[in-house]
Amino acid sequence: MTADTSEPARARRTGRRRAGTAPASARDTNYRSLRNPFPVMSVFSDDEAANMHDTALRTLEELGMRVLLPEARRLFAAAGARVDGDDMVYLGREIVEAALATAPRSIRCRAGNPTRDVTLELGTLAFQPGAGAPHATDLKRGRRPASGRDFTEYTRISHHFDVFQMMSPSVEPQDVPTHLRHYFTTRVQMEMTDKFPFLFARGTPQTLDNLEMLKIARGLSEDELIAAPHAYTVINTNSPRTLDVPMAQGLIDFARHGQMSIVTPFTLMGAMAPITVAGAITLSHAECLAAITLTQLTRPGAPVCYGTFTSNVDMKSGAPAFGTPTHFQASLAAGQMARLIGLPWRSAAGSASNLNDVQAANENQMGLWGCLLSGATVILHSAGWLEGGLTVSYEKIVTDVEVLNMVAELCAGNKAGTDEIGFVNALSAVAPSGHFFAAPQTMERYTTEFYEPVVHDYANFGTWTERGARDASQRATDVWEGILAEPPAPAIDPERSAALQEFIDTRSAEGGAPPES
């Protein structure tokens, strides 16, 4: 059994309603396969960007990358890299350039439902909700350590909105032991959503468990799994210039099994990276190139996504800051690097605000527009993130979705044909000083022409007051509670679900798989 993909269900998830008889001219907006309609911006000249790329290659040649996994160092050495001491790897630019030549420019990501497959390439656009937070918060229950219940609810809310094409690791369910946590997070995704899933890469035993669960839930053979990416993971380098054991192992394991890695140096200017945008992006670019090279040395053609998450710190406190002008510029610069090497890439929005307020909205939108105008393929943390990633807010997921839906509407563009101009059924149907409320064109389109908001309230002050004078966060509470009040539609049939649970029970009895460090 698959999740409900009917038009009424899609209308609920996108925020559009079908009132009364369907009009003749219904909008055909596809939130599942978006293309970025905005012209890309650059922060540096082409010559400056080329110099940053060249400096990144020089950094790998002369300064090297610290690689803590012996298997990764052997792969680099076999390709001709110089390995000195215990863990320093010096990569010649010819090795990097050969790897970039085999990295795919377009990646078709296979979801549980083929209608939810996602193609990642320069020019396409996919959103993923906030991820990796140790805490959750909402107006009803307050801020708290994240739990399995939060992870499950977050998955259901994220599945509900079509504007999220990819799932995320949302929150860390801290009430689930670490050696069993990957069973829980993978099972919830397999059973509650048919979107493109995220799998943790925290050592080979956990990765192999996750991939086995993926095969069971999706009905895949080993060959079918390897033939196409059915899941992804996020790989973070340890800036500056360090690739640790679990992250290097994750790159190798996912490449070996044909699954996608999104490489993401997390660099904060003035802390783990130079204080300038140019210096920080050059460092991030070098680290990305080293990680991408490792995937291609493992398996040429392995799906891999270039990425960066670069912002500045508050120099008064040392705390991360997001949605700043510098964050915006860093996204533009990363886009220039991605276009230079031609790979699909990820960027991120986010907020450092402590609650879902005006600051949170401003920062998230500023970060989001940096991603959109830089041509990002995948935008992580596009909704729900607070406290610089320490907390996910239920209300903020909903209020951010409103903006993402509007962006998705813009991706559809608009038309100016005969029917849209409406000389016959609009312009000539209304006399001077008249109105268009009852014009034939209006009557044909009034239920479908405009975006119907999820949480925004367009009522006047009097009506809004009569309804309780409730703000956007309060209305967002109604939205997420309404989503969770509906019974979840299972994404897999009962037999596969039972087989999945049997595998988990067996592996748990064997001791599970602790994360490797």
Side-chain angles (χ1 to χ4, degrees):
M1 181 177 181
T2 59
D4 186 359
T5 59
S6 64
E7 177 58 29
R10 291 196 65 234
R12 289 194 300 273
R13 287 191 291 271
T14 60
R16 290 177 285 144
R17 293 197 298 262
R18 298 177 66 88
T21 303
S25 52
R27 183 197 289 127
D28 182 21
T29 301
N30 185 353
Y31 285 12
R32 298 185 182 186
S33 300
L34 305 179
R35 296 198 70 87
N36 192 327
F38 306 105
V40 294
M41 292 177 60
S42 297
V43 67
F44 300 119
S45 70
D46 290 345
D47 287 344
E48 288 172 323
N51 185 46
M52 290 165 63
H53 175 67
D54 185 73
T55 304
L57 293 172
R58 180 185 178 189
T59 299
L60 294 177
E61 285 180 318
E62 297 182 14
L63 304 181
M65 188 86 175
R66 189 179 182 213
V67 180
L68 301 184
L69 181 69
E71 182 181 5
R73 295 197 298 271
R74 288 193 294 270
L75 286 166
F76 282 126
R82 176 166 58 94
V83 178
D84 283 353
D86 290 334
D87 49 30
M88 288 303 299
V89 174
Y90 299 86
L91 276 171
R93 64 185 60 209
E94 70 284 352
I95 302 173
V96 176
E97 289 166 354
L100 292 177
T102 62
R105 268 50 182 169
S106 181
I107 306 169
R108 184 182 175 190
C109 305
R110 308 301 178 91
N113 181 341
T115 68
R116 294 193 186 276
D117 286 357
V118 182
T119 297
L120 301 182
E121 60 190 20
L122 292 178
T124 63
L125 179 62
F127 295 110
Q128 181 241 58
H135 297 91
T137 188
D138 62 70
L139 292 182
K140 292 294 184 71
R141 294 168 289 187
R143 186 179 185 271
R144 57 196 179 272
S147 66
R149 177 181 177 181
D150 292 316
F151 186 93
T152 302
E153 291 179 346
Y154 191 93
T155 299
R156 292 183 58 195
I157 294 169
S158 300
H159 173 79
H160 178 86
F161 294 109
D162 272 359
V163 79
F164 297 129
Q165 298 81 15
M166 302 167 64
M167 299 307 294
S168 80
S170 64
V171 294
E172 284 282 350
Q174 297 182 52
D175 56 345
V176 182
T178 56
H179 68 294
L180 305 176
R181 192 173 294 172
H182 62 295
Y183 301 128
F184 176 83
T185 56
T186 301
R187 178 181 61 80
V188 168
Q189 290 181 86
M190 294 299 100
E191 293 187 338
M192 295 193 171
T193 180
D194 54 6
K195 296 183 180 183
F196 189 58
F198 169 90
L199 301 181
F200 282 110
R202 293 174 174 171
T204 299
Q206 286 202 2
T207 296
L208 294 180
D209 280 343
N210 284 333
L211 294 178
E212 188 62 32
M213 294 173 68
L214 180 65
K215 289 192 295 182
I216 293 169
R218 300 289 193 245
L220 300 170
S221 67
E222 182 70 17
D223 290 341
E224 288 171 331
L225 175 74
I226 294 175
H230 294 268
Y232 78 101
T233 196
V234 173
I235 299 295
N236 298 121
T237 55
N238 287 356
S239 302
R241 293 186 294 118
T242 301
L243 188 58
D244 66 21
V245 170
M247 294 293 95
Q249 191 65 65
L251 289 168
I252 293 171
D253 290 338
F254 270 68
R256 189 168 285 153
H257 290 89
Q259 304 310 296
M260 186 175 72
S261 295
I262 298 180
V263 179
T264 309
F266 180 32
T267 49
L268 291 173
M269 293 175 239
M272 307 104 72
I275 199 169
T276 62
V277 172
I281 293 298
T282 299
L283 173 64
S284 174
H285 188 58
E287 294 176 1
C288 261
L289 294 178
I292 291 168
T293 298
L294 180 57
T295 68
Q296 301 308 298
L297 294 178
T298 301
R299 185 171 181 261
V304 62
C305 196
Y306 178 90
T308 183
F309 195 7
T310 299
S311 189
N312 59 288
V313 296
D314 174 14
M315 297 308 291
K316 296 178 181 179
S317 66
F322 299 101
T324 66
T326 306
H327 181 192
F328 190 107
Q329 291 178 325
S331 294
L332 297 184
Q336 290 185 260
M337 297 294 100
R339 293 192 297 276
L340 195 151
I341 63 176
L343 296 186
W345 71 288
R346 73 81 102 179
S347 193
S351 169
S353 179
N354 293 304
L355 73 162
N356 189 33
D357 59 1
V358 173
Q359 177 185 337
N362 288 347
E363 290 175 342
N364 206 79
Q365 284 204 46
M366 189 70 172
L368 174 65
W369 280 106
C371 299
L372 293 170
L373 295 179
S374 61
T377 311
V378 182
I379 301 179
L380 274 68
H381 312 309
S382 63
W385 236 39
L386 289 175
E387 301 178 54
L390 293 179
T391 299
V392 165
S393 159
Y394 282 52
E395 286 80 23
K396 194 172 192 299
I397 297 169
V398 177
T399 54
D400 287 341
V401 158
E402 193 82 270
V403 177
L404 301 183
N405 280 353
M406 293 179 183
V407 171
E409 293 281 329
L410 296 176
C411 290
N414 218 315
K415 297 178 181 179
T418 301
D419 290 341
E420 287 76 27
I421 294 172
F423 181 83
V424 174
N425 62 357
L427 295 174
S428 63
V430 178
S433 300
H435 65 76
F436 288 84
F437 282 114
Q441 185 191 56
T442 302
M443 299 306 293
E444 291 170 3
R445 295 169 175 258
Y446 75 93
T447 61
T448 60
E449 187 65 21
F450 304 135
Y451 169 72
E452 185 74 18
V454 175
V455 71
H456 286 181
D457 187 347
Y458 298 152
N460 62 32
F461 184 82
T463 302
W464 173 74
T465 302
E466 291 173 0
R467 292 173 179 171
R470 304 172 76 241
D471 64 22
S473 288
Q474 292 170 319
R475 298 192 300 272
T477 299
D478 292 343
V479 174
W480 67 257
E481 285 188 322
I483 293 169
L484 297 180
E486 295 290 329
I492 58 175
D493 63 43
E495 289 186 5
R496 289 181 181 175
S497 183
L500 200 59
Q501 189 60 55
E502 182 180 358
F503 173 81
I504 293 171
D505 291 343
T506 299
R507 288 291 292 123
S508 298
E510 294 170 349
E516 295 182 337
S517 59

